[in-house]
């Protein structure tokens, strides 16, 4: 898996700083730069309030010869939609449903971009909904996804994420910064 530098170098918008960066052992499969087996997705803001990332899958993620396993594109969509909602709402969210529609299979070695959008607003009760779309290098949509995400309290997040009190405080402080206008 390769993330493309242009996904977070400001060419599309400001790079996204996720609140999880404050954890000393942040290992998210989707977005941690420290997880050698992970996707290492890097996000950038879009002009319409969404986020985007660019990526290429190598043969590590192959299903049929030359074809990326469908679960990987769903993982990218879930990751970008969930993080967009965290950024927008300033709270942790968990996936409650996810629907993916594949137009074309992703090809090993090809370049793709995933963009997520949402109408969710901070302070509204959940579940919150988001959409993601993966496009190929020519801009053709190859995967569409929609998801529902439930916000959780700091206490619920701490229990579900197995964080220490110190780690929970670090994350809550980072999330609070997102809630500050």
């Amino acid at each position: 898996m390769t993330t493309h530098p242009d996904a977070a170098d400001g060419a599309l918008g400001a790079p996204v700083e996720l609140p999880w960066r404050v954890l000393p052992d942040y290992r998210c499969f989707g977005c941690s730069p420290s997880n050698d087996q992970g996707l290492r997705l890097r996000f950038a803001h879009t002009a319409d309030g969404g986020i985007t990332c660019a990526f290429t899958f190598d043969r590590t993620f192959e299903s049929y010869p030359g074809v990326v396993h469908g679960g990987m594109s769903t993982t990218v969509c879930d990751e970008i939609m969930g993080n967009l909602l965290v950024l927008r709402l300033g709270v942790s969210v968990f996936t409650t449903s996810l629907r993916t529609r594949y137009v074309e299979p992703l090809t090993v070695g090809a370049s793709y971009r995933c963009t997520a959008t949402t109408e969710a607003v901070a302070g509204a009760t959940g579940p919150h909904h988001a959409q993601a779309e993966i496009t190929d290098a020519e801009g053709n949509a190859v995967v569409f996804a929609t998801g529902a995400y439930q916000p959780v309290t700091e206490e619920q997040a701490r229990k579900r994420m197995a964080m220490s009190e110190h780690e929970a405080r670090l994350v809550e402080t980072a999330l609070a910064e997102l809630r500050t206008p």
Side-chain angles (χ1 to χ4, degrees):
M1 170 76 182
T2 304
T3 55
H4 298 282
D6 68 335
D9 71 357
L12 296 172
V16 170
E17 290 218 24
L18 298 172
W20 327 118
R21 74 190 183 288
V22 299
L23 294 174
D25 192 30
Y26 161 52
R27 305 282 297 161
C28 175
F29 177 77
C31 63
S32 173
S34 302
N35 186 337
D36 293 339
Q37 284 73 47
L39 302 181
R40 296 181 176 194
L41 297 171
R42 297 183 342 182
F43 306 110
H45 293 280
T46 63
D48 63 355
I51 59 175
T52 190
C53 65
F55 59 92
T56 301
F57 283 107
D58 62 28
R59 292 196 67 198
T60 304
F61 303 99
E62 187 173 61
S63 175
Y64 296 118
V67 174
V68 175
H69 191 285
M72 297 315 302
S73 53
T74 298
T75 299
V76 170
C77 291
D78 185 36
E79 184 72 20
I80 197 168
M81 290 187 292
N83 275 308
L84 174 59
L85 286 167
V86 168
L87 294 166
R88 178 77 61 93
L89 304 171
V91 297
S92 296
V93 299
F94 284 88
T95 310
T96 59
S97 70
L98 185 60
R99 182 180 176 122
T100 308
R101 185 169 68 88
Y102 304 92
V103 177
E104 294 284 332
L106 274 63
T107 303
V108 170
S111 295
Y112 296 96
R113 176 167 303 285
C114 186
T115 304
T117 59
T118 186
E119 298 296 321
V121 294
T125 59
H128 298 285
H129 300 273
Q131 307 77 43
E133 178 180 277
I134 297 176
T135 54
D136 63 17
E138 290 77 41
N140 301 310
V142 295
V143 176
F144 296 94
T146 57
Y149 298 80
Q150 185 63 43
V152 294
T153 66
E154 178 184 353
E155 169 101 7
Q156 291 168 321
R158 185 173 53 249
K159 287 179 182 175
R160 290 181 181 176
M161 294 185 207
M163 292 187 287
S164 70
E165 289 292 325
H166 174 70
E167 292 169 329
R169 280 194 305 277
L170 289 173
V171 170
E172 182 51 36
T173 299
L175 289 169
E177 289 173 8
L178 295 172
R179 296 188 298 266
T180 304

